Amino acid sequence: MIVPRYDELLKADPPGSSWQVFGPDDHLGTINFLTPARVAEAARLIRTGRRFGLDHTLTAFEPYPTGTRRPLEHHLFSTNTWHRDDWVDSLYLQSSSQIDALRHIGHPQHGFYNGLRPADNTADSTALGVHEWAAAGIAGRGVLLDVPRWFSQRGVPYAADQTVPIEASMLDDIAESQGVTWQGGEILLLRTGWAEQYLAKTPSQRTSTPWRQAPGLAQRESILRWLWDHEIALVAADNLAVEADPVLESDFRVPGEVPPASGVDHGGMLHRPLIALLGMALGELWRLDELAADCAADGVYECFVTCKPLNLVGAVGSPPNAIAFK
């Protein structure tokens, strides 16, 4: 597969989209970068057999920071002495560690990935659902970039509960400091430390402090270029949105756009061009602290990563069920 550079995509229709790269009927987006040859080569990274779960528990982030998702209710029942079964209510598939499906976010000028119209992305449709990734399976070379440790090594102040836009040049600098090289088709694991500081708070502290302050990828075209030209298959972070929150400066503002009356304002966010135009898989609230500590201890920042979303047809997102092997 010959992959055009990002600057070539700027001449596509719509500009900055990968819709013609993978074909008009594509439903996998950048997961296509995980070719069989790349997956087979990545499997060779398993040397010690150490395993690191990359999911938090489904109830880890209650109360949910945005206030838009109710707590999960877990019920246990039995029909006799030697039997147990259970079910859950108000299970929000994106209220803890998650992966966004391509139907999750659309672009206000161009629609959803590969031209799916908002009118066709309804509760009755299944197009671009997370089941597509569940059926394909996600596995490949994972590379962890440890932002807090990079700042600490340089003696530069860093706060995981503040807005810190991570520019493309910083990604290069962190990778170089860790001895990381790129081969294409990586699963990028971006540790910001946000989840760690949030989970250390009491429930009352969580509700009394601003949640929309987090380090993450800068809302810059250079970030799109970096991710695409490195052929990143999936980018997952330990924060709420992968990108910096809130949006301070952005290359993606839509002139005249009015913020919604309710819900999260996606104006200027990376989510729109990343998901809707490039078809990039995004993971949020992943558990990266234990893996990061192991990488810092042995100096090896690459691993084999598997990710198996729930096979729920048409779902907008799902827990990732992700594991890193070293």
Side-chain angles (χ1 to χ4, degrees), residues 135-257:
I138 299 173
R141 178 180 183 241
V143 171
L144 183 133
L145 296 185
D146 196 331
V147 179
R149 280 189 172 87
W150 183 79
F151 271 84
S152 177
Q153 289 166 1
R154 278 148 188 76
V156 178
Y158 177 86
D161 61 351
Q162 299 297 314
T163 306
V164 181
I166 299 171
E167 302 283 353
S169 59
M170 189 183 298
L171 297 177
D172 286 330
D173 290 343
I174 297 173
E176 182 179 2
S177 73
Q178 297 177 176
V180 169
T181 59
W182 305 97
Q183 302 169 6
E186 275 80 16
I187 295 171
L188 172 59
L189 306 174
L190 185 69
R191 176 178 176 252
T192 70
W194 187 89
E196 296 162 50
Q197 64 82 30
Y198 185 80
L199 294 176
K201 295 179 178 179
T202 65
S204 61
Q205 289 173 331
R206 295 181 186 182
T207 56
S208 63
T209 56
W211 63 268
R212 294 209 73 166
Q213 289 186 331
L217 296 178
Q219 288 81 15
R220 295 299 190 190
E221 186 180 78
S222 56
I223 288 290
L224 301 183
R225 181 177 290 103
W226 192 97
L227 294 171
W228 178 264
D229 287 349
H230 282 77
E231 297 186 22
I232 299 299
L234 184 159
V235 52
D238 59 353
N239 60 12
L240 280 166
V242 178
E243 55 191 290
D245 206 359
V247 178
L248 299 181
E249 297 181 10
S250 174
D251 293 336
F252 312 113
R253 296 287 187 187
V254 176
E257 183 176 16

